Amino acid sequence: MGTKGKIIKCKAAIAWEANKPLSIEEVEVAPPKDHEVRIQIIATALCHSDAHILHPQFEGAVFPVILGHEAAGIVESIGPGVTNFKPGDKVIPLYAPQCGKCKFCLSPRTNFCGKLKHFKNPMGDQKLMEDGTSRFTCKGKPIYHFMGTSTFSQYTVVSDVNLAKLEDDANLERVCLLGCAFSTGYGAVINNAKVTPGSTCAIFGLGGVGLSAVMGCKASGASQIIVVDINSEKFTKAKALGATDCLNPKDLDKPIQEVIVEMTNGGVDFAFECVGGAKIMRAALDSVTVGWGVCTIIGVNVGDNGLNVSAMELLMGRTLTGTSFGGWKGVTSVPKLAADYKNKKLDLDALVTHTLPFDKVNEAFDLMYQGKSIRTVLLF
């Protein structure tokens, strides 16, 4: 390509400060350095994690920044030392790196990677490249990266360990959801909780992650899949994907956990909390049975004070756990998930409710805030 080794000028959405709409700007994207890859983004979705950074109470946010972490694109050029990718490859950027060499990558027990430094707040990690500098400039100012991906830009630069390679015929407008939502919800069920055939499950929150968890429970052979959301309009889709019971806490005269415990003769085997916030985490934990119940935390809420758990709750055989990126080691697992979608084993189409041109990124945020969208895919 004629752009190799040169600065590319392109369109990006920049967050200049918290609590303000993103601004569509022309940015300069520098060529990739050692072990870096420059990608042309074709499709990017947006997620509540992008919105968290804009929240005035979020700790650790840096501005100006180019957000976005759920996308798919095509390799434009590669830096020195890159051997796994070539220009023209279809790829998915990964906020969860996989270097393949650290103690985490070498362990089958986790999908963490030692490239991450801030385990207390991974959303504030990977805000610059490995050499401590940015590849983005706008109006003469360097712009921070976001989670090592920054997909709200027509071109972005990522580390070669933050990238999954796809087959040439991959549908980028759909597999972009493997960059976060689907992988997180589905993987929480399959990899982390390890839901068993015939088991009972409760899923709190029916956004992209929650509906993906529904698909995971169905694929795992769960006999009862109870879904909980305050928006009853989401129940039709949830049932189509495998939900057996739909509960809206607003329609109930007692706490949701009490209703679930009564419905299941003592509580579900597995609960998945896909919203965030102490109140919902508590409801999810209270919904699992004593003896062996597993509650998996997936959702994050800005400014939340966390959950108070007594020793006795855990001594009675309940397990409280969490997941990041659904437990997948992204570099090796995401290509397999993309192949499963192509072979119609996974339904990513069900999650996409809106497709908009990239310039309407703020409209897409509004749809998400208003609960009108599951996933909006933005196209350049």
Side-chain angles (χ1 to χ4, degrees):
M1 287 186 178
T3 49
K4 182 182 178 183
K6 299 174 185 173
I7 289 172
I8 289 179
K9 291 184 178 182
C10 69
K11 188 191 307 181
I14 295 181
W16 290 103
E17 55 185 307
N19 220 20
K20 292 281 173 68
L22 303 186
S23 177
I24 303 291
E25 308 275 7
E26 182 182 81
V27 297
E28 295 181 344
V29 185
K33 296 187 180 179
D34 285 2
H35 291 283
E36 295 176 1
V37 180
R38 188 161 61 181
I39 305 159
Q40 179 186 2
I41 298 294
I42 303 299
T44 183
L46 67 160
C47 166
H48 277 284
S49 299
D50 299 306
H52 288 340
I53 301 298
L54 301 172
H55 197 291
Q57 285 182 278
F58 184 82
E59 294 181 9
V62 291
F63 297 97
V65 61
I66 295 175
L67 299 172
H69 65 284
E70 188 174 290
I74 297 170
V75 173
E76 174 270 336
S77 62
I78 59 174
V82 175
T83 56
N84 297 341
F85 304 94
K86 65 183 185 305
D89 282 347
K90 288 185 175 181
V91 289
I92 291 178
L94 303 168
Y95 65 84
Q98 184 187 348
C99 73
K101 298 173 183 174
C102 69
K103 69 176 182 179
F104 298 111
C105 284
L106 293 174
S107 169
R109 299 171 64 184
T110 184
N111 64 330
F112 280 2
C113 174
K115 182 179 180 237
L116 296 175
K117 306 293 190 292
H118 305 289
F119 287 127
K120 281 191 175 178
N121 185 1
M123 277 190 278
D125 211 333
Q126 303 184 95
K127 55 183 177 275
L128 293 169
M129 300 303 288
E130 286 290 281
D131 66 353
T133 64
S134 171
R135 300 292 166 269
F136 298 113
T137 310
C138 182
K139 300 176 182 174
K141 292 181 180 177
I143 309 295
Y144 282 106
H145 294 247
F146 176 59
M147 293 175 77
T149 53
S150 290
T151 63
F152 290 173
S153 175
Q154 196 169 3
Y155 287 85
T156 188
V157 177
V158 305
S159 165
D160 63 356
V161 299
N162 290 71
L163 204 57
K165 185 176 176 179
L166 306 174
E167 294 178 15
D168 291 341
D169 59 353
N171 177 358
L172 301 184
E173 293 181 28
R174 289 295 178 267
V175 297
C176 60
L177 301 189
L178 299 177
C180 183
F182 180 83
S183 301
T184 299
Y186 189 78
V189 175
I190 305 287
N191 298 325
N192 298 107
K194 296 181 170 64
V195 167
T196 48
S199 58
T200 55
C201 301
I203 295 161
F204 292 77
L206 292 175
V209 172
L211 287 171
S212 300
V214 172
M215 290 189 237
C217 291
K218 169 89 171 173
S220 299
S223 62
Q224 187 173 21
I225 302 170
I226 302 167
V227 296
V228 180
D229 202 287
I230 55 173
N231 182 355
S232 298
E233 291 178 5
K234 295 182 177 180
F235 292 158
T236 303
K237 182 161 281 190
K239 281 189 168 177
L241 293 173
T244 56
D245 303 87
C246 303
L247 301 175
N248 186 332
K250 291 180 174 179
D251 299 337
L252 306 172
D253 56 8
K254 60 174 76 171
I256 186 70
Q257 50 265 60
E258 291 183 22
V259 174
I260 292 174
V261 168
E262 286 178 13
M263 284 173 64
T264 55
N265 190 28
V268 292
D269 303 313
F270 300 95
F272 299 91
E273 195 286 301
C274 308
V275 183
K279 187 177 178 184
I280 305 174
M281 285 194 281
R282 166 50 59 193
L285 182 58
D286 288 348
S287 297
V288 301
T289 180
V290 298
W292 59 76
V294 177
C295 175
T296 303
I297 304 297
I298 313 171
V300 177
N301 206 355
V302 175
D304 185 65
N305 293 323
L307 179 65
N308 286 321
V309 180
S310 73
M312 196 55 68
E313 290 178 89
L314 303 182
L315 292 177
M316 296 308 292
R318 296 184 184 92
T319 299
L320 179 64
T321 185
T323 175
S324 174
F325 196 54
W328 302 105
K329 291 181 184 282
V331 173
T332 48
S333 298
V334 167
K336 296 173 186 173
L337 291 171
D340 282 346
Y341 167 69
K342 185 181 82 168
N343 295 325
K344 298 187 166 43
K345 293 179 183 176
L346 306 175
D347 186 1
L348 300 179
D349 302 342
L351 302 179
V352 180
T353 52
H354 299 75
T355 303
L356 295 172
F358 179 73
D359 291 6
K360 295 193 173 180
V361 59
N362 288 310
E363 194 176 308
F365 272 99
D366 290 339
L367 287 167
M368 182 171 71
Y369 292 142
Q370 294 161 13
K372 292 179 180 176
S373 64
I374 303 297
R375 271 299 187 269
T376 299
V377 174
L378 301 168
L379 303 178
F380 282 95

